[in-house]
């Protein structure tokens, strides 16, 4: 028996952070139902293709069941709410406020399923001045100063070979917190709303550089003080 057998996950996410998180949960035995807009999520159209299917989409979404729904349609939204009545976990990756406007925010879903574990993944979290801002993996690394630890000149840092913020700040924290929330629910019967901000985790990747800077007054990297500046800027954004 796999550890998450019997757990049903409603996956509203696209691209990389959420789909990778739900893939890891699916591989642990969870049943993942992927909610896609008419025409499918954008990654279905990403090259390269294998047998007519997007290889990136296939890698991230294998083993999941897809359901098409127009979330702006009253009928489709009602159908999805009925599906959510029997779900254990919901994972979404829209900008903060979008699910509320669609009538599928945490309060609305909790009303039909009080024990739901509702996981929201975004760039800057659900509150604060930057909450509604769009961004990409590289933006989150740059704003926190993590990119300054890359080799290369300060104005031309070498780009990381992987999506550190998407995976290390989105996928992994989502999986970890979903599992902890499920364990807590097992003990208390209570659900939870998880707020995963991809930018927050970037400081974890620079923890040794921060320790060196705090102790010596000199921060490593290609832009002296950029890491400290990133921390100071983000503390302002988070308030």
């Amino acid at each position: 028996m796999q550890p998450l057998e019997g757990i049903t996950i409603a996956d509203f996410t696209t691209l990389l952070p959420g789909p990778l998180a739900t893939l890891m949960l699916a591989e642990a035995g969870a049943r993942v139902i992927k909610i896609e807009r008419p025409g499918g999520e954008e990654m279905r159209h990403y090259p390269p293709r294998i047998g007519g299917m997007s290889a990136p989409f296939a890698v991230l979404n294998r083993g999941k069941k897809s359901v098409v729904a127009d979330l702006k349609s009253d009928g489709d939204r009602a159908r999805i709410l009925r599906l959510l009545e029997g779900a254990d976990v919901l994972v979404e990756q829209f900008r903060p406020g979008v699910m509320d406007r669609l009538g599928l925010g945490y309060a609305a879903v909790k009303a039909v399923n009080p024990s739901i574990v509702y996981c929201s993944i975004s760039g800057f979290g659900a509150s604060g001045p930057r909450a509604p801002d769009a961004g990409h993996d590289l933006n989150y690394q740059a704003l926190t100063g993590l990119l300054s630890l890359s080799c290369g000149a300060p104005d031309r840092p070498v780009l990381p070979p992987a999506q550190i913020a998407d995976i290390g700040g989105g996928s992994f924290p989502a999986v970890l917190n979903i599992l902890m929330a499920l364990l807590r629910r097992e003990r208390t019967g209570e659900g939870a709303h998880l707020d995963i901000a991809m930018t927050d985790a970037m400081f974890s990747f620079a923890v040794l550089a921060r320790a060196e800077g705090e102790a010596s007054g000199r921060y490593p990297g290609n832009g002296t003080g950029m890491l400290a500046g990133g921390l100071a800027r983000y503390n302002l954004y988070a308030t």
Side-chain angles (χ1 to χ4, degrees):
M1 179 178 178
Q2 291 184 285
L4 295 183
E5 188 173 322
I7 296 293
T8 297
I9 299 172
D11 180 3
F12 290 80
T13 66
T14 64
L15 300 175
L16 177 57
L20 180 57
T22 57
L23 173 64
M24 289 188 280
L25 297 170
E27 291 185 334
R31 174 177 177 242
V32 177
I33 302 173
K34 185 175 177 66
I35 315 298
E36 296 191 62
R37 66 189 184 190
E41 74 140 295
E42 51 265 53
M43 189 167 273
R44 281 188 178 271
H45 309 290
Y46 280 27
R49 307 186 78 80
I50 299 176
M53 176 177 284
S54 163
F57 179 87
V59 165
L60 286 167
N61 294 287
R62 62 187 184 273
K64 303 175 187 178
K65 176 185 178 182
S66 286
V67 171
V68 175
D70 178 357
L71 298 181
K72 295 181 180 179
S73 159
D74 291 341
D76 280 7
R77 186 165 55 252
R79 177 165 58 93
I80 294 302
L81 274 171
R82 287 195 296 272
L83 182 154
L84 292 174
E85 290 177 6
D88 298 284
V89 179
L90 182 156
V91 186
E92 62 94 2
Q93 195 181 299
F94 296 107
R95 291 192 206 180
V98 169
M99 287 290 272
D100 286 315
R101 291 195 293 273
L102 291 170
L104 293 168
Y106 177 59
V109 175
K110 184 181 179 182
V112 301
N113 185 347
S115 64
I116 191 83
V117 172
Y118 191 113
C119 179
S120 300
I121 304 172
S122 64
F124 300 100
S127 61
R130 296 211 68 146
D133 291 0
H136 295 284
D137 183 278
L138 204 59
N139 301 126
Y140 311 138
Q141 294 188 52
L143 281 167
T144 54
L146 181 65
L147 194 60
S148 70
L149 300 180
S150 176
C151 58
D155 60 336
R156 294 183 181 180
V158 174
L159 301 185
Q163 289 82 2
I164 296 174
D166 284 355
I167 298 173
S171 305
F172 291 168
V175 170
L176 178 62
N177 282 276
I178 287 169
L179 294 177
M180 288 193 291
L182 287 173
L183 177 60
R184 175 178 176 269
R185 190 185 72 174
E186 184 71 18
R187 293 173 173 173
T188 67
E190 297 178 5
H193 187 190
L194 308 175
D195 180 15
I196 307 297
M198 289 184 275
T199 310
D200 286 352
M202 295 305 92
F203 297 110
S204 299
F205 287 92
V207 64
L208 296 181
R210 281 186 57 200
E212 181 179 336
E214 293 295 327
S216 68
R218 291 186 56 82
Y219 287 83
N222 59 26
T224 301
M226 289 182 68
L227 184 61
L231 179 60
R233 286 194 304 274
Y234 194 62
N235 281 341
L236 291 176
Y237 299 149
T239 57

